Amino acid sequence: MGHTSLEKIIALQRNPANIRNLCILAHVDHGKTTLADCLVASNGIISNRLAGKLRYLDSREDEQIRGITMKSSAISLLYKEYLLNLIDSPGHVDFSSEVSTAVRLCDGAIVVIDAVEGVCPQTQVVLRQAWLENIRPVLVVNKMDRLITELKLTSQEAYIHLQKILEQVNAVTGTLFTSKVLEERAEKEKEEKEEKESEASGGDQVYDWSAGLEETDDSHLYFSPDQGNVVFASAIDGWDSGMAQFAHIYSQRMGIRAEVLLKTLWGDFYLNAKAKKIMKGAQNTFVLIIPPQNSWAEDKEKVEKMVTSLGVKLMARDSRHSDPKVLLSAICSQWLPVSQAVLSMVCEKLPSPLDMAAERVEKLMSVGARRFDSLPKETQELKQAFLQCSSEENAPVIVFVSKMFAVDTKALPQNKQRPLTQEEIAQRRELARQRHADRLAANQQAENQDALSLCLSAQMESLAVKEPKLEEDEGTKETFVAFARVYSGVVKRGQRMFVLGPKFDPTQALSMLSEGCSASDALPAVPHLSCCSMESLYLLMGRELEGLEEVPSGNILGIGGLEECVLKSATLSTSPACPPFTPLNFEAAAIVRVAIEPKHPSEMPKLVHGMRLLNQADPCAEVLIQETGEHVLVTAGEVHLQRCLDDLRDRFAKIEISASKPIIPFRETVVRPPKVDMVNEEVGKQQKVAIIHQVKEVSQGRLSDTLHVDSSGLVTLTTPNRLATVAVRAIPLPQDVTRLLEDSSELIRTLEQLNMSLREGRRIDVSPRTLEAITELKSQLESLLQGRKWRNTVERIWAFGPRRYGPNILLNSVEGYHRPSVWQCLVKGERSGEAPVVRDFDNSIVSGFQLATLSGPMCEEPLMGVCFSVEQWDIQSSSEPQHQDSVEEDSASHEASGDGTSTAEGTSETSAQAEGITAGPSQAKRRTEAGSVDCYGPVSGQLIAAMKDACRHAFQAQPQRLMAAMYTCEIMATAEVLGRVYGVLGKREGRVLHEEMKEGTDMFIIKAILPVAESFGFADEIRKRTSGLASPQLVFSHWEVISSDPYWVPTTEEEYLHFGEKADSANQALKYMNAVRRRKGLYVEEKIVEHAEKQRTLSKNK
Amino acid sequence: MSIFTPTNQIRLTNVAVVRMKKGGKRFEIACYKNKVMSWRSGAEKDLDEVLQTNSVFVNVSKGQVAKKDDLSKAFGTDDLTEICKQILAKGELQVSDKERQSQLETMFRDIATIVAEKCVNPETKRPYTVSLIERAMKDIHYSVKANKSTKQQALEVIRQLKESMQIQRAHMRLRLVLPAKEGKRLKEKLKPLLKVVESEEFDEELEMVCLVDPGCFREIDELIRCETKGRGSLEVLSLKDVEEGDEKLE
């Protein structure tokens, strides 16, 4: 790029009336980048011949390989006296976040449509996006050549086809318009209703039945060639035609006035060539416009005639070329160069930054539900600055950063190699000569000293080696450049500005900051406000950046040095009164989740660093570390995911990584015994199922003589030293209770802390609000736990678990044991009647419960919604102390010792570890009577193990169920793909809750729930199956019991009949359970070989 | 080729022999490979899928069938199926290739799960995932020993992994309450065992909240018990000091 044009651009930047900020939007593969190429070529940045093949704005390697755009990139172009800031955007649905960032910065958009494919899903999306951002679109119907070369349409047919496409586009615009009008109406009605209700007048009401559509004019919204906002083009052949040009050409030839032609070229008119008059009729004049095509390009003579009549000069080498395509494109691109019509349309039809609609400004400035009127006065005044878009020195500077993008440090202008000036070349030559002379001299010396050329070559090598090394060091760095636009004022290099976070509130800031302070002053800390300086400003020229000193209002620019203060997007301003802009609205939310791991575990820090960078560079990607230690990357789709992984691998982390399905959590629970069996027959004896399980357990020899299970599910377990006995029963909690407990886990946590300190005799002052909340929780629990079975339970709650605040309850049903309830912090001082006493080893029971609820017997996942009721707890006074120290165990001794069988060690380690938990207030007492130790370890440890086992067995004595995490899934889909959406949902065990039609559109909104376990690849599948017409959004909602019993085997005769002996038809719960068990390395009840006879025979040769 | 090949000879292929010595005699049965373990664990319920033939041998490879007298003397019954079941349950068996492989695989997983449960990344205080640990174990070429418990091996693995990656046992958080008299002296003794002292209060009693390696728990416990003669106390605040909840990287 020459210096002259750069200077010209800088000069033009000062004149906002001649600036056009526009982006190119379209469905994937409709030719955005090709069109951009043609426009770029018109500025002489690339050759005309390469336009359409080079894809200049696709600067990434994978973009070039895949042939799709992934990142939006900007370039500044000149056309006549206009400066065009052009942004090319990706069309693939996964990258619609990039489109959002591009649209925000523009005033207008070129919507490109494939003449053959017509309106595609992404076209609708981009039209909606443009609509939502209030920017004005113009239409380019691209790939006109395909109509003739592929579809073989006649001109007349082509006209009809194009008319249909235009109708489709206008229909989409119309829907957007009606839905907006209806929404507004609904809002208005609501307000009116509220008003009416507040008045509460019983007078007659007059309803306004008109939809409001009639009053609103929408004609300016639609695309029509005679309005001049449609251009027909073939970017690959390099021609295009707007109506205006044609009117001009034909008016000269036919002698008809251009204005008349302009009106009549599109529509049911035809041209009577002889009479030179335009008639109304079925034929139409547009036919003339469809330019010459292949069919007659083969005929040499005709071509020559054409060429002369069009007044186009043909190069000799083109006319001699054997491929007619070359000839055609040579003719067309000279006759009607593509940039002409598009650029002139853009300049005429799209608004300049000066014409920004007041409505759009208000929308930008009012965050969330806040009305513009409610903003402080200073802020409202800024609106004027927006509208004026002035580049005065004293105008407040407002800049919006829509995204951050990573650039190689090498590519920055200050580090880039520049072409050398004459003087520099001369200087270097001089230097080189000098060096050469030195070397010669050295050589001679060396010869003299017999240290021959060896050392010289070594020197040379060392020089040669050094240089590339330096370069490599620099090459590894990534610099972030902000993609931004100046809305008001002039940004200068080195200027200090406020960075306003999305939650920044101008009202608050104005009250805290003094009048007229600026970003360079020392400031009090205002929430969501920070300062930064503009280290460098760039002009974005596709893959290149040009350094700038200052950028006046209305321009798109790159800002360097913001990576510390801006994460993804931000508003920069010199005035603290400026509100942050409304957040970008993304069409596609991130839904594809994968877990990422480095190939080599030692590279973890690099991965974390890389993921941070990725998060900053990508507007849509999210990264998080889960409690399980997984590093999860959430992306918009599979293609987006692929790009993110490539970015991580090659640019940000520079390590080998692997992506895998994230771990899916489950919960375990028990349910009431079922009344009917699997074939809907009444179950005779209700406990049958449970008993069968017990029998199975016994037969496997797992039960010892210390364990007893009765038919009602009460489990009695004695510790190995036969001193203590506990009896536990597991009861399913009602669903509402589980939900309540889960929702109030934070509260329960504080409650536990209070109790802890109370037991220690300390007093902590609690805010009355917390106490109130606890009382509230208690009363809610009481109201939910009603009925004979739950009488008085709330008072008897012993603990919550796991981790002391989970959704499981330990209940004290021991007769004659009155321990203080968990609600003791509510009772103040009044201790009447028998004082509650905490027995020794109280904590052991709780610890055992905590351990049992933390990992259930099914697949070691936490329990949920189970109530363990301790019905008996006896401790005999301990026998004489024997060899006490020798056998006292804990984790340390075990880890050191090398012997011991696995089971024994397993239990004793848990007991030993858990022993720590018990060490509570009763500590000192316990220590003194440490005599309660025998060959089975300390009593407290034994009790923990016993309690844990008892809970586990009690759990197993009830019908067990697995709980799966569920997503709620909202799907927007058009009517024609509704069936396929249901298909995908059904295949993945999803359930549709409801569907409704969105008013004013043909879109349906479906709400469904879907197990998290089935969600991997869901978004992608649904998009594929519906050709992108349905887009799901997944949000975690709740836990749900899977109705099938993982341990179910047919027992009754009917069940045998129905399911067969093995019953190996798909059991969802069993499938999930075994998958988890296999992942954790637990025993899975599966045969290694299914059929003994069908193994590979290792025959001996006999 | 043996010359004594009677036409009714039944050749057994894929044999896994289960042996048992009872009543001074050796008895063998011929089973299918990879099936005996499944039978013992209860996954296989069909006896015919396990046994090649119902008869009890003295030597399977030679085809010598056990005498009826010996059987009834040793087992007290002559029901062959009953005897086979006894031998299957109690006899010593050859572990077949797939059985051994699946056993080792399960143990490998189990070890990785235990390691992942016990350890954290010291930088982030977050656990590693099981799959990452598995990969790390493969990287250091850890081979599973079938006759050692998974727990012991897990501790061994942690020690080895420390050399190649950032890993440590998740710390326990303890609260120590020591009488003032012994406080100072004891503190000096405890110091090498404590990793991090989070808070320290010294008025009537010395109260400390600290993080320790779980391996030192016993030592600390003993020290406090012996030195203070039961007046000091030790309380575990949390078994594993890990970050909870999800964190967004920003």
Side-chain angles (χ1 to χ4, degrees):
Chain A
M1 174 136 214
H3 264 273
T4 45
S5 60
L6 183 61
E7 273 157 21
K8 200 175 169 195
I9 286 175
I10 292 171
L12 273 175
Q13 280 190 336
R14 304 212 140 269
N15 183 6
N18 280 8
I19 297 173
R20 298 287 182 272
N21 294 317
L22 60 127
C23 50
I24 306 182
L25 309 171
H27 188 75
V28 67
D29 263 349
H30 278 193
K32 292 171 297 296
T33 310
T34 319
L35 181 68
D37 253 12
C38 294
L39 302 184
V40 170
S42 75
N43 264 240
I45 295 170
I46 58 172
S47 136
N48 266 325
R49 276 169 186 284
L50 283 176
K53 287 146 203 133
L54 191 64
R55 301 206 310 275
Y56 182 75
L57 291 178
D58 283 355
S59 46
R60 294 165 54 97
E61 194 189 345
D62 47 356
E63 285 179 333
Q64 288 286 349
I65 291 169
R66 277 184 175 244
I68 60 170
T69 311
M70 294 179 179
K71 287 264 178 194
S72 48
S73 48
I75 190 162
S76 298
L77 299 174
L78 295 168
Y79 173 71
K80 291 180 185 160
E81 280 311 300
Y82 289 99
L83 172 69
L84 306 176
N85 292 317
L86 180 77
I87 306 178
D88 181 28
S89 70
H92 195 281
V93 59
D94 283 7
F95 305 112
S96 59
S97 59
E98 293 278 336
V99 178
S100 313
T101 60
V103 166
R104 170 57 63 87
L105 301 186
C106 295
D107 303 311
I110 302 178
V111 177
V112 183
I113 293 188
D114 189 317
V116 176
E117 290 174 23
V119 175
C120 289
Q122 260 329 91
T123 318
Q124 294 181 9
V125 172
V126 294
L127 278 171
R128 186 159 59 232
Q129 267 177 332
W131 174 265
L132 288 176
E133 288 281 348
N134 278 352
I135 69 171
R136 198 176 300 162
V138 290
L139 199 66
V140 172
V141 181
N142 197 14
K143 306 198 184 179
M144 290 285 285
D145 53 324
R146 284 181 71 194
L147 287 180
I148 295 139
T149 51
E150 282 177 29
L151 297 184
K152 313 269 184 218
L153 298 179
T154 64
S155 310
Q156 186 65 40
E157 284 164 345
Y159 168 73
I160 293 166
H161 185 84
L162 290 174
Q163 214 169 19
K164 272 188 194 152
I165 288 176
L166 280 181
E167 265 166 30
Q168 283 173 359
V169 178
N170 286 334
V172 175
T173 323
T175 344
L176 291 170
F177 179 74
T178 43
S179 69
K180 185 194 158 197
V181 170
L182 286 179
E183 250 166 53
E184 273 173 10
R185 199 178 114 84
E187 237 167 68
K188 218 195 282 172
E189 245 170 37
K190 208 168 139 196
E191 273 170 29
E192 276 171 19
K193 219 177 181 183
E194 275 165 15
E195 272 172 33
K196 269 184 193 155
E197 271 169 20
S198 62
E199 282 169 21
S201 64
D204 19 30
Q205 290 180 348
V206 181
Y207 287 102
D208 180 17
W209 287 109
S210 68
L213 281 173
E214 291 83 6
E215 300 120 60
T216 331
D217 179 40
D218 55 350
S219 60
H220 60 280
L221 292 169
Y222 298 122
F223 298 103
S224 166
D226 50 3
Q227 292 231 3
N229 55 7
V230 180
V231 162
F232 301 96
S234 168
I236 198 98
D237 283 344
W239 62 264
D240 67 352
S241 55
M243 290 299 138
Q245 262 104 342
F246 258 97
H248 187 65
I249 291 171
Y250 278 90
S251 70
Q252 280 180 346
R253 228 199 281 163
M254 306 278 181
I256 302 173
R257 273 194 305 137
E259 297 87 71
V260 180
L261 256 179
L262 193 59
K263 274 185 195 147
T264 51
L265 265 172
W266 185 261
D268 290 338
F269 302 101
Y270 73 93
L271 186 78
N272 192 332
K274 275 180 195 154
K276 299 216 169 174
K277 264 186 187 165
I278 290 164
M279 320 284 268
K280 210 172 160 95
Q283 274 191 327
N284 60 66
T285 39
F286 174 73
V287 173
L288 295 172
I289 290 169
I290 307 239
Q293 279 306 328
N294 277 6
S295 54
W296 39 272
E298 283 151 18
D299 191 345
K300 278 267 157 124
E301 276 176 42
K302 244 183 181 173
V303 169
E304 267 163 37
K305 213 169 120 199
M306 269 287 298
V307 167
T308 45
S309 77
L310 291 174
V312 174
K313 275 184 204 144
L314 213 54
M315 303 264 260
R317 60 164 183 210
D318 282 333
S319 61
R320 271 201 307 269
H321 210 286
S322 57
D323 186 1
K325 265 227 141 145
V326 175
L327 181 64
L328 180 75
S329 71
I331 298 172
C332 291
S333 59
Q334 289 214 16
W335 180 38
L336 301 162
V338 73
S339 47
Q340 283 292 321
V342 174
L343 290 179
S344 66
M345 171 173 75
V346 161
C347 295
E348 281 161 25
K349 292 294 168 189
L350 293 185
S352 76
L354 284 178
D355 316 330
M356 199 193 292
E359 193 190 351
R360 185 173 171 211
V361 175
E362 284 183 14
K363 213 164 156 187
L364 281 179
M365 290 173 80
S366 41
V367 180
R370 278 188 78 165
R371 301 282 291 264
F372 183 74
D373 317 334
S374 68
L375 291 168
K377 217 173 110 218
E378 287 92 332
T379 311
Q380 294 200 27
E381 276 166 14
L382 280 177
K383 182 182 162 190
Q384 219 43 48
F386 260 96
L387 291 173
Q388 277 172 356
C389 194
S390 71
S391 308
E392 306 268 314
E393 286 297 311
N394 54 2
V397 184
I398 301 168
V399 176
F400 182 73
V401 177
S402 75
K403 68 163 183 173
M404 304 290 284
F405 62 98
V407 180
D408 254 339
T409 313
K410 257 194 298 185
L412 293 180
Q414 52 260 46
N415 305 332
K416 208 167 45 179
Q417 285 192 333
R418 301 185 154 276
L420 301 171
T421 57
Q422 281 296 328
E423 287 159 35
E424 278 175 315
I425 292 173
Q427 225 169 13
R428 288 207 178 187
R429 196 182 297 143
E430 201 55 39
L431 265 174
R433 229 177 250 158
Q434 189 81 34
R435 233 181 289 145
H436 188 67
D438 285 353
R439 206 178 295 154
L440 275 180
N443 237 351
Q444 273 171 355
Q445 274 186 352
E447 265 175 4
N448 291 343
Q449 292 164 1
D450 283 332
L452 281 169
S453 55
L454 244 170
C455 88
L456 188 75
S457 65
Q459 256 184 5
M460 295 263 280
E461 259 171 47
S462 69
L463 272 175
V465 168
K466 248 181 210 166
E467 276 170 40
K469 242 189 194 167
L470 275 174
E471 263 173 40
E472 254 173 51
D473 283 352
E474 275 180 13
T476 52
K477 274 195 181 161
E478 295 282 341
T479 314
F480 279 96
V481 173
F483 194 62
R485 170 176 167 174
V486 190
Y487 282 89
S488 161
V490 184
V491 190
K492 296 193 186 74
R493 227 176 98 181
Q495 193 173 21
R496 301 267 308 164
M497 289 180 88
F498 292 114
V499 180
L500 315 172
K503 282 187 196 149
F504 171 75
D505 185 3
T507 329
Q508 198 181 357
L510 284 172
S511 63
M512 286 172 80
L513 297 171
S514 57
E515 187 100 351
C517 67
S518 71
S520 45
D521 303 340
L523 291 173
V526 178
H528 309 294
L529 180 81
S530 58
C531 292
C532 67
S533 68
M534 313 279 111
E535 275 173 25
S536 41
L537 305 175
Y538 303 108
L539 177 68
L540 302 168
M541 292 300 293
R543 56 189 82 172
E544 279 155 38
L545 300 169
E546 300 281 346
L548 289 177
E549 277 306 312
E550 57 174 38
V551 180
S553 164
N555 283 291
I556 288 171
L557 79 162
I559 307 172
L562 286 184
E563 56 260 70
E564 292 304 314
C565 25
V566 177
L567 181 67
K568 283 179 175 181
S569 68
T571 315
L572 311 178
S573 174
T574 49
S575 156
C578 180
F581 283 20
T582 41
L584 299 164
N585 44 38
F586 293 126
E587 282 291 320
I591 31 177
V592 175
R593 297 168 76 95
V594 285
I596 292 190
E597 276 171 12
K599 273 266 158 60
H600 303 290
S602 53
E603 290 172 333
M604 204 58 147
K606 273 189 192 167
L607 177 76
V608 173
H609 176 71
M611 286 177 85
R612 273 178 216 280
L613 290 183
L614 176 73
N615 186 42
Q616 196 166 22
D618 198 302
C620 197
E622 276 175 43
V623 290
L624 47 117
I625 305 178
Q626 287 200 313
E627 199 171 334
T628 50
E630 280 180 302
H631 291 71
V632 173
L633 172 66
V634 196
T635 59
E638 303 286 296
V639 184
H640 185 209
L641 170 69
Q642 207 51 49
R643 203 209 69 210
C644 287
L645 293 180
D646 285 346
D647 269 355
L648 266 183
R649 234 172 251 141
D650 305 333
R651 298 179 71 175
F652 299 136
K654 293 205 162 77
I655 52 168
E656 283 288 293
I657 51 171
S658 64
S660 58
K661 222 169 144 171
I663 293 172
I664 294 142
F666 285 98
R667 294 284 183 271
E668 299 177 18
T669 191
V670 289
V671 292
R672 286 151 170 266
K675 293 271 187 329
V676 288
D677 64 10
M678 288 291 281
V679 282
N680 269 340
E681 298 279 338
E682 190 99 351
V683 174
K685 290 174 209 149
Q686 286 188 6
Q687 294 303 318
K688 196 166 153 197
V689 186
I691 292 165
I692 286 164
H693 283 308
Q694 290 312 319
V695 170
K696 208 165 89 189
E697 297 282 287
V698 173
S699 72
Q700 282 172 13
R702 285 199 46 201
L703 296 194
S704 56
D705 52 345
T706 53
L707 175 64
H708 173 75
V709 184
D710 76 1
S711 60
S712 65
L714 182 74
V715 173
T716 317
L717 196 94
T718 315
T719 52
N721 62 1
R722 323 246 160 192
L723 288 183
T725 310
V726 281
V728 180
R729 189 196 301 280
I731 311 162
L733 280 174
Q735 246 181 22
D736 300 332
V737 178
T738 317
R739 199 169 307 133
L740 177 68
L741 289 178
E742 208 184 7
D743 292 343
S744 42
S745 65
E746 274 304 311
L747 189 63
I748 295 174
R749 211 169 181 169
T750 45
L751 175 72
E752 265 310 315
Q753 274 166 0
L754 282 179
N755 284 341
M756 192 86 127
S757 51
L758 267 181
R759 253 175 282 154
E760 275 167 27
R762 277 185 292 151
R763 278 223 159 258
I764 295 178
D765 287 321
V766 204
S767 71
R769 201 185 298 160
T770 332
L771 278 181
E772 226 167 77
I774 291 172
T775 325
E776 170 84 358
L777 173 70
K778 191 183 169 190
S779 62
Q780 268 180 320
L781 270 179
E782 268 163 3
S783 68
L784 286 173
L785 286 174
Q786 274 176 346
R788 193 171 49 84
K789 204 168 61 171
W790 297 109
R791 187 167 297 154
N792 270 337
T793 37
V794 179
E795 278 302 324
R796 287 187 285 131
I797 290 175
W798 197 333
F800 299 95
R803 296 202 200 106
R804 294 176 186 272
Y805 54 86
N808 301 292
I809 292 179
L810 180 66
L811 215 58
N812 174 18
S813 312
V814 183
E815 265 178 59
Y817 177 39
H818 301 282
R819 71 183 296 283
S821 82
V822 284
W823 314 107
Q824 61 180 343
C825 57
L826 294 176
V827 202
K828 272 188 187 157
E830 32 176 309
R831 295 253 169 94
S832 58
E834 52 180 324
V837 193
V838 183
R839 275 202 220 172
D840 290 349
F841 306 121
D842 179 278
N843 257 306
S844 301
I845 296 289
V846 177
S847 305
F849 163 73
Q850 302 293 356
L851 285 173
T853 47
L854 194 60
S855 56
M858 287 164 85
C859 49
E860 305 293 326
E861 292 281 309
L863 303 189
M864 187 167 175
V866 187
C867 171
F868 288 108
S869 157
V870 182
E871 311 210 331
Q872 186 200 341
W873 178 26
D874 303 325
I875 302 184
Q876 288 154 26
S877 58
S878 56
S879 52
E880 282 304 295
Q882 303 160 341
H883 42 264
Q884 58 181 53
D885 285 328
S886 59
V887 211
E888 175 120 8
E889 298 181 29
D890 65 29
S891 50
S893 69
H894 258 281
E895 279 153 25
S897 73
D899 52 13
T901 58
S902 66
T903 47
E905 198 180 359
T907 50
S908 62
E909 163 120 6
T910 34
S911 67
Q913 279 210 343
E915 185 192 345
I917 301 178
T918 65
S922 59
Q923 186 76 24
K925 211 190 285 171
R926 190 168 68 82
R927 288 299 176 207
T928 48
E929 44 142 50
S932 54
V933 171
D934 47 35
C935 63
Y936 298 106
V939 173
S940 64
Q942 279 184 48
L943 200 57
I944 289 169
M947 180 63 192
K948 185 186 162 202
D949 283 348
C951 284
R952 278 181 92 114
H953 284 115
F955 183 89
Q956 282 172 319
Q958 301 292 329
Q960 308 164 64
R961 291 290 183 276
L962 217 54
M963 288 180 101
M966 297 302 245
Y967 277 135
T968 50
C969 164
E970 265 196 34
I971 309 172
M972 275 242 281
T974 52
E976 59 260 40
V977 294
L978 216 53
R980 289 196 214 128
V981 170
Y982 275 74
V984 177
L985 275 175
K987 203 174 107 192
R988 291 178 175 260
E989 317 269 330
R991 250 187 3 253
V992 176
L993 298 181
H994 66 260
E995 72 165 53
E996 60 182 332
M997 198 157 179
K998 203 177 171 196
E999 214 174 326
T1001 64
D1002 62 340
M1003 299 293 260
F1004 281 86
I1005 298 175
I1006 302 159
K1007 206 171 172 193
I1009 54 173
L1010 181 83
V1012 174
E1014 303 287 338
S1015 68
F1016 192 71
F1018 171 74
D1020 209 41
E1021 189 182 348
I1022 208 159
R1023 272 197 210 138
K1024 268 184 198 153
R1025 299 258 299 159
T1026 62
S1027 352
L1029 283 170
S1031 48
Q1033 300 218 346
L1034 299 172
V1035 185
F1036 173 77
S1037 75
H1038 65 288
W1039 294 94
E1040 195 172 277
V1041 177
I1042 302 172
S1043 58
S1044 54
D1045 178 5
Y1047 293 110
W1048 179 80
V1049 278
T1051 44
T1052 63
E1053 223 161 272
E1054 283 85 2
E1055 281 177 340
Y1056 269 122
L1057 270 176
H1058 200 272
F1059 296 99
E1061 207 164 330
K1062 277 193 203 155
D1064 45 8
S1065 56
N1067 184 339
Q1068 200 65 23
L1070 183 67
K1071 206 177 82 192
Y1072 289 150
M1073 189 181 81
N1074 280 350
V1076 175
R1077 292 193 73 108
R1078 211 166 288 133
R1079 192 189 78 216
K1080 291 189 174 172
L1082 301 169
Y1083 170 70
V1084 179
E1085 192 178 305
E1086 256 180 357
K1087 299 166 196 172
I1088 299 164
V1089 174
E1090 184 63 31
H1091 301 289
E1093 282 283 11
K1094 287 186 183 166
Q1095 299 185 63
R1096 192 168 66 98
T1097 307
L1098 302 166
S1099 67
K1100 289 167 198 151
N1101 265 344
K1102 269 182 191 170
Chain B
M1 282 287 260
S2 151
I3 28 172
F4 308 106
T5 308
T7 47
N8 60 351
Q9 184 176 0
I10 305 160
R11 284 218 167 271
L12 302 176
T13 49
N14 284 341
V15 190
V17 181
V18 181
R19 295 189 187 87
M20 189 163 83
K21 253 189 174 172
K22 199 158 193 195
K25 289 256 172 5
R26 198 169 74 152
F27 298 103
E28 297 185 346
I29 49 170
C31 304
Y32 288 107
K33 278 192 170 151
N34 302 321
K35 273 294 185 187
V36 185
M37 296 278 253
S38 304
W39 171 264
R40 285 196 178 170
S41 67
E44 179 60 73
K45 286 162 190 91
D46 189 358
L47 191 60
D48 291 340
E49 282 281 305
V50 184
L51 290 182
Q52 296 240 6
T53 155
N54 227 4
S55 42
V56 179
F57 299 85
V58 175
N59 190 329
V60 170
S61 55
K62 285 183 183 160
Q64 295 170 339
V65 182
K67 291 190 181 88
K68 244 188 194 154
D69 290 353
D70 292 346
L71 281 176
S72 53
K73 211 186 275 167
F75 292 97
T77 171
D78 54 358
D79 181 5
L80 283 177
T81 320
E82 234 1 88
I83 296 169
C84 281
K85 275 186 184 166
Q86 273 193 41
I87 298 176
L88 266 180
K90 288 172 192 152
E92 43 180 289
L93 78 154
Q94 305 166 330
V95 182
S96 312
D97 53 345
K98 277 193 188 139
E99 286 173 340
R100 173 158 286 124
Q101 191 198 340
S102 82
Q103 186 196 355
L104 290 182
E105 217 167 79
T106 321
M107 281 182 87
F108 191 82
R109 285 256 168 78
D110 200 9
I111 293 170
T113 315
I114 295 170
V115 173
E117 257 170 26
K118 283 187 185 298
C119 294
V120 290
N121 180 349
E123 277 178 11
T124 56
K125 289 269 183 268
R126 283 182 179 277
Y128 282 108
T129 54
V130 178
S131 57
L132 194 77
I133 299 288
E134 274 179 33
R135 194 172 300 136
M137 279 166 68
K138 275 180 192 140
D139 279 355
I140 58 166
H141 305 292
Y142 187 81
S143 63
V144 179
K145 284 126 202 139
N147 52 0
K148 260 174 119 184
S149 83
T150 48
K151 198 145 224 156
Q152 283 168 24
Q153 294 189 59
L155 294 169
E156 171 69 19
V157 166
I158 293 173
R159 203 161 41 239
Q160 289 183 19
L161 282 182
K162 269 184 188 158
E163 287 158 23
S164 67
M165 63 191 278
Q166 291 254 348
I167 192 168
Q168 76 180 187
R169 295 263 326 242
H171 288 154
M172 279 172 121
R173 184 173 283 126
L174 298 179
R175 181 157 74 208
L176 313 172
V177 181
L178 307 172
K181 229 188 280 166
E182 282 101 354
K184 228 173 211 158
R185 189 167 49 85
L186 209 55
K187 208 179 116 190
E188 289 308 309
K189 282 193 178 173
L190 285 172
K191 219 162 212 172
L193 298 173
L194 308 178
K195 294 273 180 201
V196 183
V197 180
E198 285 185 336
S199 75
E200 205 177 323
E201 264 176 58
F202 208 143
D203 31 317
E204 293 149 43
E205 291 176 321
L206 174 66
E207 193 182 317
M208 291 162 82
V209 175
C210 50
L211 298 179
V212 300
D213 195 275
C216 305
F217 177 75
R218 180 188 143 84
E219 256 177 276
I220 295 170
D221 184 34
E222 209 150 82
L223 202 66
I224 291 177
R225 192 144 34 93
C226 298
E227 296 284 331
T228 63
K229 300 184 185 66
R231 274 168 297 152
S233 75
L234 175 69
E235 183 182 348
V236 178
L237 295 177
S238 70
L239 283 174
K240 258 177 26 174
D241 177 42
V242 289
E243 289 283 316
E244 279 173 4
D246 296 354
E247 180 197 6
K248 262 198 170 165
L249 276 179
E250 273 178 0

